[in-house]
Every structure is written in C-alpha cells, then in structure tokens.
Amino acid sequence: MKTKIIATVGPSCFTKQKLDLLIESGVTCFRVNLSHGTKSEKAKCFDLIKSCRLESGIRPTILADLAGPKIRVSRVKDSIKIQKGEQVYISSEKNGKNVIPISEDVKFQTVKKGAKILVDDGKISLEVDKLISNKTLLCKAEFDGIVEQRKGINFPGIELDLPSITDQDKNDLELALSKGADWIALSFVRSSSDYQLLRDIIAKLGFTTPILAKIEKWEAVKNMNDIIDAFDAVMVARGDLGVELPLEQVPGIQKKVIKKAIKAGKPVVLATQILDSMTQRPVPTRAEVSDIANAILDGADALMVTGETAVGEHPIKVIKVLNKVITESESSINYKTFIKDISKKKLNTAQAISHAACSVAVKQGIKKIITMTHSGSTARMVSRYRPSAKIIAMTPFKETCRQLGIVWGVKALLVKNYNTSDDIPLIANEMLVLNKDLRKNEKYVITGGVPVGVPGTTNYLSVLKGV
C-alpha cells in the first residue's frame, strides 16, 4: 500500500488498544485536532499516540492541526432566528437586536455589494447590502434559518484583515512542539507569506518542524502556486473549500493541487468527508469509494479521515475500508505515466538522480529503490516520480522516519549512523535482510548524497545485488 492513511484521534478511539488496531489496519499517522479540548486533554492525546508503535518499531507520525483564524458566531446566549428578507448586521464590535456577533479580531477590507456570507456551512446565506464600518456589515437574509453560538462563518470573495496565527495557535504550537509533533498543519492559509510567519515562531521555540498548508480559503486557491512552492506540504481541506467556492469547482481544484504538489515534490493530503457516511453506518456509499479511488489514481500522498475515527461509530471499519480501496485502486495505476509527465522539464542534479533511479528500476524490472537520507529529501524526490518499485528510506534519525510517514510509497527504516559512502552498501544489505525485504541475488537501486550528511546533495546512484 503506497497511499498513506491519516486518522484523527478523538473520543471514539481514545485508548491505546483502539489506536493499535487502527495502526494494524493501515494508519501511519495520527492527527491531533487542536481546535478542541483543554491543554491537559491535548497533552494526553499526544502522550497516547507516543505510547504506540508501528511495525518498524518507531512511533506513528503526529500531525498537529492548528485551529487557525476560524471565524465563528460568538457572544450568543440563545439562538438567533433569521427570516427571509430580514435585514441583519454581521459585526465584530457590537451585540443587540438583528446582530450576528462574530469573532472580535475580524475586520473587513474590500467588500462588494451583493457579496455572500455563509453561516454554518451555508445553511444560512446572507447578501451584503452595505459596509457600515470595518467591523460591521448590513446584510439581507436569503432564507429562513437559526444562528447558533460557535457556528462557523465564511466570507467568500470578501477580503478580511485577520491574523494568520492566533494567540490560541501560539499556545497550541508550543505544546505540540514540546510533545514531539512531526508536522504542523496551518489552517485557513491565505498566502505564501503565512509560511514564514509560522516558520519564525517555530524557529524561536528551537524547532525545525515542517509545515503543511491547508487549502480551504478562496484566497488560497488564488495563490495556489506560491503556497505550494513555499510550504513543506499541502492539504486539500474540502469542508470549508466547498463553502468558500461553488461545490462544482472543488473536484477540479483538488486535481490541480494534487498535480502541482507532485510536480513540486511536496506531499499532498486529501481531507474531509472521505468516508463521511461511515461516521454512523458500517458501510460506505459507492460515491465515497469512487471519490477515494480517483484521489488515489491522481496520486495523493495520503488520505485523512476526521470525524469518521474521532467521533464515529466504526473507526476500525473505516480504516479497513480505506485500506481495501487503496490496495485495489493502486493495482490499476499506470506508474510510467507519472515518471514521463514529471520528467519533461529541466532537472537539477538531485532531481535527475532521483528520476534516473526510478527509470533504472523500470527498465531493469527492479522492485526496490533504497534512499539513504538524513533530511528525507532524497526519499521525497524519488516519491515524486511515483515509481511502481517499493521505496525504502534508510535514515539514522527518528524524526526523519516519522516525517516520511505521510509521504507516498515510502517505508522508513531507522539505521545506525554512517559517515562515508563506503558504509552505504553494507548498511543497506544488512537492513534489507533484517526486515526480510530482500531475496538472495535480488537487485536493488540505491541512491543518496555524497558527502554523507549534507542535505540536498543527492548525487549517488548504484545498482546492487543482495548477498
């Protein structure tokens, strides 16, 4: 199975026994949703995941998902009834009759008359009549509805003055890093500059943890290319994206993001409503299975389930279904298409070596590509070409092993430290035999960087034989 599975931890699987069963069923990475819970509850979640082990002996990858600047209905004691045609205010500065109060730090910038505001995933739609101030809009309700406390609000097409990283995010980030998070997901990314804001905070805390951008805002779609170039990975978060933009546009955006991320050599995760019906039902719908299969055929690195495992009634069954669909779908992938499609443009040395490793494997019928890597970049570059051969990343660093837990097709193995290129064949053979990954006289392609330990110097390729 080359496509990875990320499962969200929540009440439905909050025991070591349940997490172990999820790992056994195919999970390599767990998501901690930092939008919910107290500091103590979040800390317990990290500790629980860290108590588990994958088959390789290392703990699962942890993706810490920051809440981000989600705009919500706030300061509402009782629900607010809205009638079609009624005039209502959306405001971050005042309460009162016919006012829907929202998060206090929201300011409006460019607002066109007729723009739409969507409450509770579009269950309530408001049309903007007038900008009263940079904190208040006068709107008209398009149909009847009930507005409740803490429900999300989306402003598609409206430019907002809003911090990319909230005070809650900063507190959650510090906790996540201290607890060993392997990836940090930033919600509601709007531009590539959000990367440096978060990178600076992470650096000040003494870490180099990679950052994943969640593409779920209309601005993120507009700035898609720059965001993919800047961030270490991306996620297509289809929940808010389907509210921010017309639903019919989401599948095309999903395909574009996956294709561009693969070409850039960045991991790409697909999330939201993967197997939504299985939150309550023991079996998926045919539409869900087709949706998953198409994402796999497009080459997504990982599929992430949220409520299905966090609060659903059948968390283990969800992962077993995903596993089956992934295995079946991958059997019909034309891997040669990926290699040809990506190799058209001019490549640097590291990319050319990675491409050559995949080409040699195809032409000689070799089924294993070994990448010797310290930072994980060599393994990610080989993965970028989506080879049919198994990718085995060997690294002396546990952190690198875990970071590769969301990367397509990569099996990461922890090896003893090596200092020269002469050590590489000996270590590779020893680990392959130890993990029963190699038959006697079986060929394998091996690639890495010389001098050893310098990131980004992939320049070494050899074809070796098992002894």
Side-chain angles (χ1 to χ4, degrees), residues 284-296:
T285 65
R286 291 174 182 82
E288 286 169 336
V289 171
S290 294
D291 175 46
I292 294 164
N294 281 320
I296 294 160

PDB file of all heavy atoms in Angstrom, residues 284-296:
ATOM      1  N   PRO A 284     -19.597   2.049   3.421  1.00  0.00           N
ATOM      2  CA  PRO A 284     -19.534   3.328   2.700  1.00  0.00           C
ATOM      3  C   PRO A 284     -20.546   3.382   1.561  1.00  0.00           C
ATOM      4  O   PRO A 284     -21.158   2.363   1.200  1.00  0.00           O
ATOM      5  CB  PRO A 284     -18.107   3.308   2.138  1.00  0.00           C
ATOM      6  CG  PRO A 284     -17.845   1.861   1.876  1.00  0.00           C
ATOM      7  CD  PRO A 284     -18.564   1.093   2.960  1.00  0.00           C
ATOM      8  N   THR A 285     -20.697   4.563   0.977  1.00  0.00           N
ATOM      9  CA  THR A 285     -21.510   4.680  -0.231  1.00  0.00           C
ATOM     10  C   THR A 285     -20.620   4.422  -1.447  1.00  0.00           C
ATOM     11  O   THR A 285     -19.398   4.544  -1.371  1.00  0.00           O
ATOM     12  CB  THR A 285     -22.119   6.093  -0.356  1.00  0.00           C
ATOM     13  OG1 THR A 285     -21.052   7.033  -0.542  1.00  0.00           O
ATOM     14  CG2 THR A 285     -22.913   6.468   0.886  1.00  0.00           C
ATOM     15  N   ARG A 286     -21.234   4.093  -2.558  1.00  0.00           N
ATOM     16  CA  ARG A 286     -20.470   3.875  -3.808  1.00  0.00           C
ATOM     17  C   ARG A 286     -19.776   5.169  -4.243  1.00  0.00           C
ATOM     18  O   ARG A 286     -18.663   5.145  -4.761  1.00  0.00           O
ATOM     19  CB  ARG A 286     -21.406   3.382  -4.912  1.00  0.00           C
ATOM     20  CG  ARG A 286     -21.929   1.972  -4.675  1.00  0.00           C
ATOM     21  CD  ARG A 286     -22.978   1.589  -5.743  1.00  0.00           C
ATOM     22  NE  ARG A 286     -23.525   0.265  -5.507  1.00  0.00           N
ATOM     23  CZ  ARG A 286     -24.507   0.002  -4.636  1.00  0.00           C
ATOM     24  NH1 ARG A 286     -25.030   0.990  -3.921  1.00  0.00           N
ATOM     25  NH2 ARG A 286     -24.947  -1.226  -4.473  1.00  0.00           N
ATOM     26  N   ALA A 287     -20.444   6.286  -4.015  1.00  0.00           N
ATOM     27  CA  ALA A 287     -19.860   7.587  -4.398  1.00  0.00           C
ATOM     28  C   ALA A 287     -18.579   7.857  -3.612  1.00  0.00           C
ATOM     29  O   ALA A 287     -17.595   8.357  -4.159  1.00  0.00           O
ATOM     30  CB  ALA A 287     -20.875   8.705  -4.164  1.00  0.00           C
ATOM     31  N   GLU A 288     -18.572   7.517  -2.316  1.00  0.00           N
ATOM     32  CA  GLU A 288     -17.381   7.727  -1.498  1.00  0.00           C
ATOM     33  C   GLU A 288     -16.218   6.872  -1.980  1.00  0.00           C
ATOM     34  O   GLU A 288     -15.076   7.342  -2.059  1.00  0.00           O
ATOM     35  CB  GLU A 288     -17.696   7.404  -0.025  1.00  0.00           C
ATOM     36  CG  GLU A 288     -18.541   8.466   0.656  1.00  0.00           C
ATOM     37  CD  GLU A 288     -19.082   8.036   2.002  1.00  0.00           C
ATOM     38  OE1 GLU A 288     -19.209   6.816   2.238  1.00  0.00           O
ATOM     39  OE2 GLU A 288     -19.380   8.910   2.827  1.00  0.00           O
ATOM     40  N   VAL A 289     -16.517   5.624  -2.315  1.00  0.00           N
ATOM     41  CA  VAL A 289     -15.456   4.720  -2.806  1.00  0.00           C
ATOM     42  C   VAL A 289     -14.884   5.248  -4.122  1.00  0.00           C
ATOM     43  O   VAL A 289     -13.663   5.250  -4.325  1.00  0.00           O
ATOM     44  CB  VAL A 289     -15.999   3.278  -2.963  1.00  0.00           C
ATOM     45  CG1 VAL A 289     -14.983   2.385  -3.677  1.00  0.00           C
ATOM     46  CG2 VAL A 289     -16.340   2.689  -1.600  1.00  0.00           C
ATOM     47  N   SER A 290     -15.751   5.730  -5.007  1.00  0.00           N
ATOM     48  CA  SER A 290     -15.279   6.297  -6.289  1.00  0.00           C
ATOM     49  C   SER A 290     -14.427   7.543  -6.055  1.00  0.00           C
ATOM     50  O   SER A 290     -13.403   7.745  -6.714  1.00  0.00           O
ATOM     51  CB  SER A 290     -16.470   6.665  -7.178  1.00  0.00           C
ATOM     52  OG  SER A 290     -17.173   5.511  -7.561  1.00  0.00           O
ATOM     53  N   ASP A 291     -14.850   8.380  -5.117  1.00  0.00           N
ATOM     54  CA  ASP A 291     -14.117   9.603  -4.768  1.00  0.00           C
ATOM     55  C   ASP A 291     -12.712   9.260  -4.273  1.00  0.00           C
ATOM     56  O   ASP A 291     -11.712   9.852  -4.705  1.00  0.00           O
ATOM     57  CB  ASP A 291     -14.906  10.349  -3.682  1.00  0.00           C
ATOM     58  CG  ASP A 291     -14.172  11.569  -3.147  1.00  0.00           C
ATOM     59  OD1 ASP A 291     -13.640  12.350  -3.963  1.00  0.00           O
ATOM     60  OD2 ASP A 291     -14.124  11.742  -1.921  1.00  0.00           O
ATOM     61  N   ILE A 292     -12.621   8.280  -3.383  1.00  0.00           N
ATOM     62  CA  ILE A 292     -11.323   7.852  -2.839  1.00  0.00           C
ATOM     63  C   ILE A 292     -10.447   7.302  -3.959  1.00  0.00           C
ATOM     64  O   ILE A 292      -9.264   7.650  -4.074  1.00  0.00           O
ATOM     65  CB  ILE A 292     -11.519   6.784  -1.737  1.00  0.00           C
ATOM     66  CG1 ILE A 292     -12.236   7.382  -0.532  1.00  0.00           C
ATOM     67  CG2 ILE A 292     -10.181   6.180  -1.311  1.00  0.00           C
ATOM     68  CD1 ILE A 292     -12.810   6.344   0.422  1.00  0.00           C
ATOM     69  N   ALA A 293     -11.025   6.439  -4.789  1.00  0.00           N
ATOM     70  CA  ALA A 293     -10.266   5.816  -5.887  1.00  0.00           C
ATOM     71  C   ALA A 293      -9.693   6.877  -6.824  1.00  0.00           C
ATOM     72  O   ALA A 293      -8.532   6.782  -7.244  1.00  0.00           O
ATOM     73  CB  ALA A 293     -11.154   4.846  -6.654  1.00  0.00           C
ATOM     74  N   ASN A 294     -10.475   7.892  -7.146  1.00  0.00           N
ATOM     75  CA  ASN A 294      -9.993   8.945  -8.052  1.00  0.00           C
ATOM     76  C   ASN A 294      -8.829   9.722  -7.454  1.00  0.00           C
ATOM     77  O   ASN A 294      -7.879  10.080  -8.146  1.00  0.00           O
ATOM     78  CB  ASN A 294     -11.139   9.902  -8.412  1.00  0.00           C
ATOM     79  CG  ASN A 294     -12.040   9.326  -9.483  1.00  0.00           C
ATOM     80  OD1 ASN A 294     -11.566   8.696 -10.427  1.00  0.00           O
ATOM     81  ND2 ASN A 294     -13.342   9.505  -9.349  1.00  0.00           N
ATOM     82  N   ALA A 295      -8.882   9.992  -6.142  1.00  0.00           N
ATOM     83  CA  ALA A 295      -7.781  10.692  -5.469  1.00  0.00           C
ATOM     84  C   ALA A 295      -6.510   9.851  -5.504  1.00  0.00           C
ATOM     85  O   ALA A 295      -5.408  10.371  -5.696  1.00  0.00           O
ATOM     86  CB  ALA A 295      -8.169  11.000  -4.026  1.00  0.00           C
ATOM     87  N   ILE A 296      -6.665   8.538  -5.339  1.00  0.00           N
ATOM     88  CA  ILE A 296      -5.511   7.624  -5.374  1.00  0.00           C
ATOM     89  C   ILE A 296      -4.923   7.574  -6.782  1.00  0.00           C
ATOM     90  O   ILE A 296      -3.702   7.653  -6.962  1.00  0.00           O
ATOM     91  CB  ILE A 296      -5.934   6.205  -4.899  1.00  0.00           C
ATOM     92  CG1 ILE A 296      -6.319   6.246  -3.416  1.00  0.00           C
ATOM     93  CG2 ILE A 296      -4.812   5.186  -5.131  1.00  0.00           C
ATOM     94  CD1 ILE A 296      -7.173   5.075  -2.969  1.00  0.00           C
TER      95      ILE A 296
END
